[in-house]
Amino acid sequence: LSAALLVGGMLWQMMRMGRHLRRHIESRVEEVVAHQSRPSSVRSVAGIAVVTALLVTREGLEAVFYVGVQAMAMRASPVPGHGATLVAGAVAGLVIAGALAWYWSRVSHRLNMAVVLKVTAVFLFVFLIQLVIYGVHELAESGVIHGSQAFHDATEVLGPDGRIGHLLSYSLVFAPLMYLIWTRIGKAKPPTAGVAA
């Protein structure tokens, strides 16, 4: 539920600032390009270096923790070939991440920021619903909510293993994808000409 509060705040801020964000980014980029002839200050170079180091460190730590947990699980229940699968998965993940980074550096300038923000907002909205449902369900299961057993049984279908819970998980992918497809179809439709009487 705390995560739901954070996601809800992020969604609200995105919806509030989304209309002006693209214009703000473009004006800042134009300002930087206009002053490109001037040498970069030590402070700006250091700031970019620190942010880049933090981003790379965060992603690296996430990868290390995930692979470490998988390696510990492999040691706990040794399955033949599991180690080779773990190494192959880690290598494939690095290759795919590198390919995506290269592709992103080539096409990101053509992105429509308004559509990106709306697709992200759809994802966050579905994720927010899922967080609230799971949070309430888990509180009912732990007995924090009064009359929790009946409430827990009633919300079991919404939980992570329930039928609707599975649909919520799938909709995290399909809802933004459907919005993106709908936006592309709407853009591709030619304007209808008026019919003469």
Side-chain angles (χ1 to χ4, degrees):
L1 291 176
S2 300
L5 280 175
L6 291 173
V7 170
M10 182 178 166
L11 180 60
W12 176 78
Q13 183 71 6
M14 183 188 286
M15 297 302 288
R16 191 172 70 88
M17 295 295 295
R19 289 188 294 268
H20 314 293
L21 191 61
R22 179 177 182 166
R23 199 171 6 171
H24 178 69
I25 290 172
E26 286 174 350
S27 67
R28 294 286 292 167
V29 168
E30 286 172 7
E31 185 182 324
V32 168
V33 170
H35 295 89
Q36 200 171 18
S37 57
R38 291 191 299 183
S40 301
S41 70
V42 173
R43 206 169 87 184
S44 63
V45 172
I48 291 171
V50 168
V51 169
T52 304
L54 287 173
L55 290 173
V56 171
T57 303
R58 180 217 172 262
E59 294 298 327
L61 284 173
E62 185 177 329
V64 166
F65 283 143
Y66 180 75
V67 172
V69 167
Q70 294 298 320
M72 285 172 46
M74 181 189 68
R75 271 192 236 120
S77 60
V79 176
H82 192 231
T85 305
L86 180 65
V87 171
V91 170
L94 287 172
V95 169
I96 292 169
L100 283 173
W102 175 83
Y103 182 72
W104 181 257
S105 70
R106 300 286 177 207
V107 301
S108 60
H109 64 280
R110 296 190 309 216
L111 284 176
N112 183 340
M113 283 302 292
V115 173
V116 169
L117 288 172
K118 286 177 184 171
V119 168
T120 306
V122 170
F123 173 85
L124 286 175
F125 181 71
V126 176
F127 187 51
L128 177 63
I129 292 171
Q130 188 182 42
L131 284 173
V132 170
I133 289 172
Y134 285 4
V136 172
H137 179 75
E138 293 302 318
L139 284 176
E141 189 172 29
S142 64
V144 173
I145 296 176
H146 183 64
S148 58
Q149 188 57 47
F151 188 81
H152 176 265
D153 294 342
T155 59
E156 188 68 39
V157 70
L158 302 172
D161 298 322
R163 187 168 31 89
I164 296 175
H166 282 297
L167 289 176
L168 272 173
S169 297
Y170 298 143
S171 65
L172 284 171
V173 174
F174 288 116
L177 188 61
M178 293 309 293
Y179 178 81
L180 187 60
I181 291 169
W182 176 68
T183 305
R184 298 290 290 177
I185 289 172
K187 209 195 252 185
K189 277 185 186 173
T192 55
V195 179

